[in-house]
Amino acid sequence: MSDADPSAGRFARRLLESPIGRSFLGICRDEGSQDRTPTERQVDTWAVEACADASPHQPGYATDSDTDLISARPPPWLDDPRWTAGLDRDRQTWVTRSERPPAESAFDFDGRPFGDMAVKPRRALWTSTRTGALPWGWLTYLRSGADPLPPPWHVWWLDVAPDARVYEIDSPAAWALLCGRYPAEFEADSVQPDWTAVSVDWDAVHLPVGGLLTTQQVPVTTQSGRRCELRGWDAESTVWLRWCFTEVTWLADVNG
């Protein structure tokens, strides 16, 4: 990317506007990745760690910017478009502690709100994109996230139908647009998506790693002037509002 490219540094600037993004940049700095491009696995893992570090439930949580991060030159690899790319339909995995494979007959969508701290449907099927053989970001969350679950974990590959309609949350603006089009009352003067209404037009909603880093915990305003904020996703993931898979294949058992 040339110095004259007006998009250079744009994603890095958006990271600085997000508490999770700033935490992620701090991890990148500590890992010495200023000029060395990390692997997708590393980025997914660091993103989950950044969510945990920037959680408002952590002792000493603060939203102040890190002046060292602001003054530092952003790593050039941050502007790689893959961090905000659309869903990779060939690499979707489902992780479960049960040995039973996912099945359409067991799919059970409940569009009611999950709760105040996690803006998501009460019940749905979630996938995460594998990097290499496994979905490392999701496994990192299961090991050390806000709601860890002990192994073993069973990983299944789900082949996504080519006509599945997937909404992309690649920025705070995309989240505000989703909330504005399908508003459901939330807190005072705030809205979140009405997931049942979303499911009429969309089969799934995907949060790429770049969307996670720039959007979660960032208050934004819909076109109608109402506040909305993505909370509690904590990893690159896709929530499925209906069954859209043509094949299910076992990938691996992870014991630790």
Side-chain angles (χ1 to χ4, degrees):
M1 181 174 292
S2 70
D3 293 338
D5 189 333
S7 68
R10 183 178 301 167
F11 182 60
R13 290 194 296 272
R14 284 168 50 198
L15 289 173
L16 289 169
E17 297 170 356
S18 158
I20 294 175
R22 292 192 293 272
S23 177
F24 177 79
L25 286 172
I27 293 172
C28 293
R29 176 188 56 193
D30 295 342
E31 294 288 341
S33 65
Q34 183 68 25
D35 296 304
R36 174 179 54 84
T37 302
T39 65
E40 284 185 276
R41 172 179 172 176
Q42 288 174 314
V43 170
D44 282 350
T45 300
W46 296 346
V48 174
E49 293 173 355
C51 287
D53 291 345
S55 169
H57 304 293
Q58 288 277 36
Y61 169 75
T63 58
D64 294 338
S65 298
D66 186 327
T67 54
D68 291 339
L69 293 175
I70 294 173
S71 60
R73 178 174 62 87
W77 55 264
L78 280 174
D79 283 302
D80 190 317
R82 73 176 123 164
W83 312 127
T84 53
L87 182 73
D88 188 329
R89 297 171 187 242
D90 296 327
R91 293 195 292 160
Q92 292 308 297
T93 57
W94 182 67
V95 182
T96 176
R97 296 189 69 230
S98 169
E99 294 183 357
R100 296 179 180 177
E104 185 174 6
S105 60
F107 183 82
D108 186 16
F109 169 65
D110 184 344
R112 290 176 295 169
F114 184 88
D116 291 347
M117 298 310 298
V119 183
K120 57 179 71 172
R122 182 170 297 189
R123 190 165 53 247
L125 186 148
W126 292 79
T127 63
S128 186
T129 305
R130 62 183 174 91
T131 52
L134 295 171
W136 292 105
W138 196 264
L139 292 175
T140 300
Y141 175 79
L142 291 176
R143 290 188 179 100
S144 57
D147 189 21
L149 291 173
W153 304 301
H154 308 285
V155 184
W156 299 82
W157 168 67
L158 286 75
D159 186 22
V160 178
D163 59 349
R165 304 164 299 171
V166 181
Y167 186 89
E168 298 287 343
I169 307 173
D170 57 4
S171 66
W175 175 248
L177 185 60
L178 185 72
C179 294
R181 285 183 176 174
Y182 311 96
E185 297 297 331
F186 189 29
E187 299 166 341
D189 300 321
S190 299
V191 292
Q192 63 171 302
D194 179 333
W195 295 106
T196 300
V198 173
S199 71
V200 174
D201 296 330
W202 301 95
D203 300 318
V205 177
H206 174 226
L207 182 69
V209 64
L212 171 68
L213 294 171
T214 60
T215 304
Q216 184 157 291
Q217 293 178 215
V218 175
V220 286
T221 304
T222 67
Q223 285 189 333
S224 65
R226 303 166 86 180
R227 182 180 176 275
C228 58
E229 183 178 329
L230 178 67
R231 304 176 189 171
W233 287 44
D234 294 341
E236 181 277 331
S237 52
T238 302
V239 58
W240 293 90
L241 314 180
R242 60 172 46 81
W243 184 267
C244 292
F245 310 106
T246 59
E247 186 178 351
V248 173
T249 305
W250 173 83
L251 281 181
D253 295 329
V254 182
N255 295 307

